[in-house]
Amino acid sequence: MWEYTDKVKEHFINPKNAGTIEDADAVGEVGSLACGDALKLYIKLDDAGRIKDAKFKTFGCASAIASSSVLTEMIKGKTIEEASKITNRDIARELGGLPKEKMHCSVMGQQALDATLRNLRGEPPVAQDLEGEVVCECFGVTEDQIRKAITDNNLSTVEDVTHFTKAGGGCTECVPDIERILEELKGQKPAVQEPERTEQPMTNIRRMQLVTRVIDEEIRPSLKKDGGDIDLVDIDGTIVKVALRGACTGCPSSQVTLKNFVEKRLRDRVDETIRVEEVKS
Amino acid sequence: MRVVYLDNNATTKTAPEVVEKMQPYFEEYYGNPSSMHNFGGLVQKEIALARESVASGLGCLAREVVFTSGGTEADNAAIFSATGSQPDKKHLVTTRVEHPAVLSTMKYLEGKGYEVTYLGVDEKGRLDMQEYLDSLRPDTALVSVMYANNETGVIFPVRDMALAAREKGVLFHTDSVQAIGKIPMDMKDLPVDYLVLSGHKIHGPKGVGAVFVRKKSPFRPYIMGGHQENGRRAGTENTTGIIGLGKAMELVLKNMDQKNDEMSRLRNKLEQGLLGAVTNSKVNGETLNRLPNTLNISFSYVEGEAILLMLDQFGVCASSGSACTSGSLEPSHVLRAMGVPFTHAHGSVRFSLSRYTTEDEIDLVLEKMPGIIQRLRDMSPFSADSEAICATK
């Protein structure tokens, strides 16, 4: 069973703004029955040009319905300019996160919004030939859509691209193409940074708090599942000293755990410069 | 909340009699059957009885039963025995709708240089006998065809297929995990070389299964170690599991016809009720040769995972062939092999009953389901009118 957040469940069971707007100012539609999910978004503006009302019709799983519902809530009251800045990450964040296999539902929300705003500007609904070549024939995903998902979400593997765009999730024939695009975009990426990080320089106190939290909430529970445990011994700048306990002691793969799991998780979640060292105690 | 469990093709409730039978072998009689002392010997005797019970359910000899960790291991054992014992034969025949325990093993063997023929099915999930006969070759090492399909319940003509294979000197394996306990089995009358069953699908414990290996058919050990299972499957026996499986087999065969009749009565009530109450709904798979407990039904324009989560609100457990439930992005390989249109495949729900299913439970589903589908359809951009526009595939 998928692990959905309470917010996803709430928006699925009691969706906000399901329905249509008869005299909508703009309508956008993405997806298809064949793909397994589809979303039609309707918006109505007030005199000042703000989005007064938004409604949706969605065919899809719980996370697709929840993404649509939360999207309508997010854009209501916003100007077109403000709404156009919403990304799929914003949608996922508003839901308290989505399972990574379901991130494509948030992408669908963003694409529907995009299509709606194009419709408002009198532009044709995104024709695929305008968006570059179709890479994934199974789900009709274009090269530009894949590029956008990679840069917006900082994706680095084919698996990630599949989770976000569905590309590569069918016959897998396009996997080499996705690998090529990933390769091409490598090195062009550093522009994308977690906004939190650039806004708030990492102070020592902040880093210590975050390290403690990530170890307590994510790393330790995960090690405990395998009978292991971890103690945080010291934090010295970006060096985090830990001791592995339980089944981890004497486990031949404990060094791998330390680098590939503990250090990687702390780098992902807290600070990319963190180095984890094991202390024997 | 009350649980209405209609997902018995996934797993079943362990029968209370089975749990009771197993209990003493955890705490009191925990001996190792291979030990010299009487304490272990006592467990050995129970395992022998369990083997007799399974053998009697299959109409075979006790020594033709090899206990395994479950259906998947048993399927692997059969397939690798056939290939390992005939290294010159590099062709295999199976169907497109097998369980992953077989399909993934076939894919693996393809990577090792085997050629695999995947038999297709028609829109009702049926095999083409002529296509099958034409697929058999002098270098065919094994035919592997499931007895009944786990998603649709469609039953294959395994007896006729196995006969044809035997005439051509080709080994035959059938994954009968879903059929055991619902279809009478007699190995004297069913000319297969290998047949596989699983404990937890017949109200036995999880983690135990068995493979029937006909006396003269080849078997290749694949786990090295001790001499357990007559040297065929090393490792200290899953004593409690095997004892539980023996009991489960005994129970499932008791009044089988009567239990089948009751399951099929309730299943038909559910089927007719849903088809009548929900427009644009349709049964997947043929309804004639079908397990008595299985109903695979599609509701157009809505998505299966959403249906399941709505049902979950009422404690109703079922499963779906929709893409979203599987973690993959495409709907069930079984429904796709049958050519079920995407409109239907994404909105498919499988209800599978058991001997414990009650009329009340079926009534609850019949009461809730139309409202759930209506709610999701109200939310869906698709309907019978709009279908032409969006069916791109």
Side-chain angles (χ1 to χ4, degrees):
Chain A
M1 194 170 186
W2 300 113
E3 281 188 34
Y4 287 133
T5 62
D6 289 342
K7 195 131 184 217
V8 172
K9 286 183 207 155
E10 175 56 28
H11 275 278
F12 166 63
I13 299 293
N14 299 306
K16 305 269 173 39
N17 311 310
T20 58
I21 300 176
E22 288 303 320
D23 57 343
D25 290 310
V27 182
E29 197 170 359
V30 290
S32 76
L33 266 176
C35 292
D37 43 24
L39 163 54
K40 196 167 182 179
L41 184 67
Y42 303 78
I43 58 168
K44 179 85 189 155
L45 305 181
D46 66 12
D47 299 338
R50 281 182 184 273
I51 298 172
K52 184 172 74 179
D53 197 9
K55 291 220 185 284
F56 75 90
K57 283 262 193 178
T58 292
F59 161 77
C61 55
S63 51
I65 290 170
S67 295
S68 314
S69 166
V70 86
L71 171 67
T72 54
E73 287 289 281
M74 287 166 76
I75 59 176
K76 273 205 223 174
K78 284 206 166 59
T79 63
I80 300 306
E81 171 70 18
E82 288 163 352
S84 68
K85 293 210 174 83
I86 292 174
T87 68
N88 73 286
R89 291 164 61 121
D90 296 330
I91 297 170
R93 196 177 299 136
E94 193 68 24
L95 287 168
L98 282 171
K100 68 179 190 316
E101 293 85 351
K102 297 286 189 179
M103 284 302 286
H104 60 83
C105 295
S106 67
V107 173
M108 180 171 78
Q110 195 278 327
Q111 286 173 350
L113 177 60
D114 200 43
T116 311
L117 298 181
R118 288 176 69 90
N119 180 252
L120 189 68
R121 293 193 295 265
E123 295 168 24
V126 184
Q128 290 190 329
D129 55 5
L130 293 179
E131 267 203 285
E133 234 173 286
V134 173
V135 172
C136 172
E137 299 277 351
C138 295
F139 294 106
V141 188
T142 64
E143 174 142 355
D144 284 3
Q145 285 170 334
I146 293 173
R147 284 175 181 273
K148 181 169 165 51
I150 293 172
T151 38
D152 281 1
N153 298 285
N154 225 350
L155 308 182
S156 58
T157 65
V158 174
E159 202 188 356
D160 284 343
V161 172
T162 305
H163 290 324
F164 280 73
T165 65
K166 292 189 168 193
C171 70
T172 69
E173 257 176 34
C174 63
V175 166
D177 292 321
I178 299 173
E179 281 169 348
R180 171 184 56 80
I181 299 170
L182 279 165
E183 200 53 40
E184 279 174 27
L185 289 176
K186 236 187 225 169
Q188 305 178 16
K189 259 188 314 190
V192 189
Q193 275 276 330
E194 281 279 349
E196 294 90 341
R197 278 189 208 159
T198 43
E199 284 159 17
Q200 276 185 331
M202 185 67 76
T203 62
N204 272 329
I205 295 285
R206 177 92 185 122
R207 188 183 298 113
M208 285 162 82
Q209 285 170 337
L210 285 173
V211 166
T212 314
R213 200 165 82 203
V214 171
I215 287 182
D216 285 344
E217 290 175 6
E218 300 179 24
I219 296 175
R220 181 168 300 116
S222 171
L223 292 178
K224 280 200 164 163
K225 278 190 197 150
D226 294 325
D229 201 350
I230 188 169
D231 277 346
L232 178 58
V233 179
D234 196 6
I235 302 176
D236 180 5
T238 56
I239 298 173
V240 176
K241 296 183 179 171
V242 299
L244 293 173
R245 308 272 185 219
C248 295
T249 12
C251 169
S253 56
S254 66
Q255 287 311 306
V256 180
T257 306
L258 208 63
K259 288 289 160 196
N260 290 5
F261 174 62
V262 180
E263 184 170 280
K264 184 169 186 308
R265 182 60 67 95
L266 289 173
R267 283 181 174 181
D268 287 351
R269 310 284 281 151
V270 185
D271 183 343
E272 278 170 12
T273 60
I274 281 180
R275 207 168 80 225
V276 172
E277 286 181 3
E278 187 180 9
V279 290
K280 306 277 180 197
S281 59
Chain B
M1 188 173 48
R2 171 179 170 209
V3 170
V4 175
Y5 190 76
L6 297 174
D7 201 9
N8 287 281
N9 287 10
T11 194
T12 58
K13 168 193 165 90
T14 316
E17 300 92 321
V18 170
V19 176
E20 197 188 337
K21 176 82 194 175
M22 290 166 74
Q23 197 64 51
Y25 298 92
F26 285 106
E27 287 177 354
E28 217 173 323
Y29 308 117
Y30 50 82
N32 188 325
S34 301
S35 298
M36 278 302 122
H37 40 71
N38 195 38
F39 188 61
L42 196 135
V43 185
Q44 191 183 22
K45 280 190 198 110
E46 268 311 317
I47 288 189
L49 289 174
R51 200 182 307 278
E52 286 290 344
S53 164
V54 171
S56 111
L58 298 179
C60 69
L61 303 169
R63 63 180 161 177
E64 289 175 315
V65 175
V66 180
F67 289 118
T68 66
S69 68
T72 295
E73 185 192 318
D75 283 328
N76 272 256
I79 295 169
F80 287 118
S81 287
T83 54
S85 60
Q86 313 168 90
D88 297 339
K89 296 187 173 179
K90 293 289 186 195
H91 176 238
L92 300 159
V93 175
T94 188
T95 78
R96 288 177 61 195
V97 298
E98 294 299 308
H99 188 273
V102 169
L103 274 187
S104 302
T105 311
M106 292 289 171
K107 288 270 177 255
Y108 168 82
L109 286 166
E110 269 185 311
K112 296 279 172 193
Y114 279 81
E115 187 190 330
V116 181
T117 301
Y118 296 94
L119 301 170
V121 291
D122 68 7
E123 78 287 353
K124 295 279 186 194
R126 292 171 298 208
L127 291 168
D128 178 340
M129 202 60 181
Q130 195 55 50
E131 185 193 353
Y132 165 64
L133 294 174
D134 293 344
S135 75
L136 297 175
R137 311 194 316 213
D139 67 334
T140 306
L142 178 77
V143 175
S144 176
V145 173
M146 66 199 333
Y147 209 111
N149 187 270
N150 50 313
E151 293 191 27
T152 59
V154 171
I155 299 166
F156 286 146
V158 166
R159 189 171 175 278
D160 291 348
M161 297 178 83
L163 262 179
R166 176 172 281 188
E167 275 167 20
K168 299 202 178 180
V170 177
L171 292 173
F172 195 99
H173 159 240
T174 184
D175 173 349
S176 67
V177 162
Q178 298 293 346
I180 295 289
K182 297 177 198 111
I183 300 170
M185 295 283 168
D186 184 359
M187 294 307 109
K188 293 183 283 299
D189 187 46
L190 188 72
V192 300
D193 296 281
Y194 312 98
L195 177 139
V196 162
L197 62 97
S198 165
H200 74 107
K201 308 281 193 198
I202 56 168
H203 304 285
K206 292 170 182 64
V208 67
V211 53
F212 154 81
V213 184
R214 194 172 291 282
K215 201 164 73 184
K216 296 222 167 91
S217 305
F219 190 85
R220 292 285 154 125
Y222 48 94
I223 294 178
M224 304 306 139
H227 54 266
Q228 291 87 354
E229 295 297 300
N230 212 4
R232 293 175 154 191
R233 205 273 187 187
T236 297
E237 294 87 344
N238 172 5
T239 55
T240 46
I242 291 170
I243 291 165
L245 172 58
K247 185 69 187 175
M249 194 72 175
E250 176 197 321
L251 292 170
V252 83
L253 297 175
K254 220 180 269 174
N255 310 320
M256 193 202 288
D257 289 348
Q258 194 190 323
K259 284 183 278 194
N260 279 348
D261 287 349
E262 179 60 6
M263 279 194 288
S264 104
R265 183 183 73 81
L266 290 175
R267 190 269 316 271
N268 294 346
K269 178 178 180 180
L270 180 64
E271 178 173 306
Q272 291 311 314
L274 290 176
L275 289 174
V278 183
T279 56
N280 290 304
S281 55
K282 153 179 182 297
V283 176
N284 294 312
E286 74 162 321
T287 50
L288 200 59
N289 285 305
R290 185 171 49 152
L291 292 175
N293 76 320
T294 309
L295 169 62
N296 190 312
I297 184 167
S298 281
F299 305 97
S300 304
Y301 320 117
V302 289
E303 198 282 326
E305 185 204 289
I307 302 173
L308 294 188
L309 290 180
M310 290 274 183
L311 280 171
D312 198 48
Q313 299 288 304
F314 303 108
V316 177
C317 311
S319 67
S320 167
S322 115
C324 290
T325 52
S326 62
S328 80
L329 292 165
E330 295 205 321
S332 129
H333 69 287
V334 176
L335 299 184
R336 271 185 291 147
M338 289 161 61
V340 173
F342 279 85
T343 35
H344 293 295
H346 285 297
S348 74
V349 177
R350 178 189 71 187
F351 295 101
S352 44
L353 288 62
S354 81
R355 63 180 189 240
Y356 296 111
T357 305
T358 63
E359 189 108 30
D360 279 5
E361 295 177 324
I362 297 301
D363 288 341
L364 180 83
V365 179
L366 285 171
E367 179 199 325
K368 299 296 181 192
M369 201 63 176
I372 290 174
I373 301 297
Q374 193 52 52
R375 232 185 114 169
L376 291 170
R377 281 190 179 158
D378 286 346
M379 230 184 279
S380 170
F382 302 126
S383 64
D385 309 328
S386 68
E387 188 175 352
I389 311 163
C390 40
T392 58
K393 195 166 174 178

